[in-house]
Amino acid sequence: MIVFPAIDIQNGRAVRLRQGVKEDSTTYFDNPVEAAVKWADEGALFLHVVDLDGAFSGSLSNASIIGDICEAVDIPVEVGGGIRSEEAIETYLEAGVNRVIIGSKAVEDPDFMAAMAKKYGSMLAVSIDAKEDVVATRGWVDGSDKRVLPFAQAMLDLGINTLIYTDISRDGMLTGPNFTMLGQLQQLPYIRLIASGGMSSIDDLKKLKSMGIYGAITGKALYEGKITMAEIRSLGGM
């Protein structure tokens, strides 16, 4: 299982939100590039970067910083937040991003997602951010008419195999991930599932690994020392 340190960028800084509320943030690094280098130096194999400003605005607010991160580390980087056009996808791929994560646009425009899946395939992932069983959009502010499992299956049917599931109610709360929903998602054929939201200890990661899940994202727990990179390395198979 790959463990992805999360670097969430807001107003040019590396922060963590609680339950996706943009006004409820804690700054951990004034320079997100420093966070990226720290986690890479400590043994991370892949970074998960989110442009929080972009997620709320729909524009690439921190693209230059993310480009700097890609230049500063020699491990792959996946990026999400406000990516709602093919131009945005191309901007990040040209900047050295390994995988581009589509969220709101995948929910709101299935035809766009089908076209992008056909063109970019494994270079894309879809983020399924949910409140209860309802998929949320626009920086987690709005709901949708989509339910988690049918939406996940629809993305798999398009050929998008990497799906990131976040239980918004648990994000930044250190309460553990939603193992029940993750278990249901993991049963879908051909899925490469990344768990996000609520990681609280190395035991959470051990359980996810035992479930056969492809990856897990950890943010607040890592920044506050609840999980360490040494513990992550000790999991093996990273």
Side-chain angles (χ1 to χ4, degrees):
M1 187 176 77
I2 297 173
V3 178
F4 299 75
I7 301 173
D8 292 357
I9 304 173
Q10 183 183 54
N11 299 322
R13 297 181 173 91
V15 307
R16 294 301 295 167
L17 303 187
R18 283 165 49 90
Q19 299 181 320
V21 178
K22 67 179 178 179
E23 294 83 9
D24 190 355
S25 68
T26 301
T27 299
Y28 289 102
F29 284 83
D30 287 332
N31 183 354
V33 178
E34 292 180 8
V37 170
K38 172 182 171 61
W39 302 135
D41 286 350
E42 291 186 16
L45 297 185
F46 214 126
L47 295 177
H48 176 82
V49 179
V50 177
D51 179 352
L52 288 175
D53 300 307
F56 290 108
S57 70
S59 61
L60 303 190
S61 304
N62 292 290
S64 62
I65 294 173
I66 292 167
D68 291 342
I69 287 173
C70 291
E71 287 187 14
V73 300
D74 58 2
I75 58 174
V77 176
E78 64 177 24
V79 172
I83 301 165
R84 297 173 192 166
S85 67
E86 183 172 4
E87 180 183 10
I89 293 170
E90 286 286 354
T91 295
Y92 278 132
L93 292 177
E94 290 172 4
V97 169
N98 180 269
R99 186 158 59 214
V100 177
I101 304 162
I102 314 296
S104 300
K105 190 69 172 178
V107 179
E108 298 168 352
D109 193 342
D111 292 340
F112 169 82
M113 204 61 229
M116 295 302 99
K118 188 173 182 179
K119 184 168 183 179
Y120 297 100
S122 62
M123 291 182 282
L124 299 183
V126 166
S127 182
I128 303 176
D129 307 320
K131 295 179 178 179
E132 309 257 332
D133 189 31
V134 178
V135 180
T137 63
R138 307 282 163 175
W140 299 355
V141 174
D142 298 331
S144 73
D145 61 354
K146 303 291 194 302
R147 296 296 183 267
V148 171
L149 289 170
F151 178 66
Q153 185 61 63
M155 294 301 102
L156 292 168
D157 290 344
L158 293 178
I160 302 294
N161 297 106
T162 304
L163 301 180
I164 302 167
Y165 170 76
T166 304
D167 184 326
I168 294 169
S169 69
R170 295 168 184 259
D171 194 63
M173 302 301 290
L174 301 175
T175 54
N178 186 335
F179 290 110
T180 301
M181 182 58 77
L182 289 164
Q184 292 175 31
L185 285 164
Q186 182 64 14
Q187 299 306 309
L188 298 176
Y190 307 113
I191 194 169
R192 290 206 307 175
L193 180 61
I194 300 175
S196 174
M199 302 304 161
S200 63
S201 72
I202 195 66
D203 289 336
D204 289 337
L205 297 178
K206 288 178 179 176
K207 183 170 180 178
L208 292 171
K209 183 181 179 183
S210 74
M211 293 166 64
I213 287 175
Y214 160 71
I217 295 165
T218 180
K220 186 174 183 179
L222 193 57
Y223 286 92
E224 298 195 352
K226 308 291 186 184
I227 299 172
T228 68
M229 287 303 301
E231 288 177 318
I232 289 170
R233 290 195 304 273
S234 74
L235 278 177
M238 310 302 292

